């Protein structure tokens, strides 16, 4: 943490766990790699918690949605 930044602790708490801004989970629970043909819940970090922002029909579509953010970040840099 930066000792000169009075908001450093606050900003650290606002980062998502493991710096994952988007994630997906199986609709009916369980391990994410199992049953790749089942729908997924799409979640996005809002600076305080993950919130549901949509669904994907299968694992491949969910993974593509997650990677869109990474591609956007890379092109903005």
């Amino acid at each position: 943490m930066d000792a000169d930044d009075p908001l450093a602790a606050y900003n650290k708490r606002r980062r998502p766990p493991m710096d994952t801004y988007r994630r997906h989970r199986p609709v009916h629970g369980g391990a994410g790699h199992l049953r790749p043909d089942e729908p997924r819940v799409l979640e996005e970090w809002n600076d305080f918690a993950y919130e549901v922002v949509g669904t994907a029909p299968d694992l491949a579509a969910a993974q593509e949605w997650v990677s869109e953010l990474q591609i956007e970040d890379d092109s903005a840099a």
Side-chain angles (χ1 to χ4, degrees), residues 32-66:
H33 65 286
L34 298 177
R35 302 181 308 274
D37 296 332
E38 291 187 5
R40 300 293 196 261
V41 174
L42 306 176
E43 300 175 327
E44 207 163 37
W45 184 253
N46 68 6
D47 289 338
F48 297 101
Y50 285 104
E51 64 183 350
V52 175
V53 294
T55 60
D58 56 23
L59 177 60
Q63 289 173 333
E64 183 177 325
W65 175 79
V66 168

Side-chain angles (χ1 to χ4, degrees), residues 22 61-74:
R22 284 183 170 180
Q63 289 173 333
E64 183 177 325
W65 175 79
V66 168
S67 68
E68 284 175 3
L69 181 65
Q70 294 168 348
I71 291 169
E72 290 171 10
D73 286 347
D74 291 343

Side-chain angles (χ1 to χ4, degrees), residues 11 23 30:
N11 288 332
R23 69 182 185 184

Side-chain angles (χ1 to χ4, degrees), residues 3-32:
D4 296 330
D5 183 4
L7 296 176
Y10 173 74
N11 288 332
K12 183 178 179 183
R13 287 192 304 270
R14 291 182 60 190
R15 285 197 326 252
M18 305 203 27
D19 289 331
T20 303
Y21 288 88
R22 284 183 170 180
R23 69 182 185 184
H24 58 86
R25 296 177 179 260
V27 170
H28 302 292

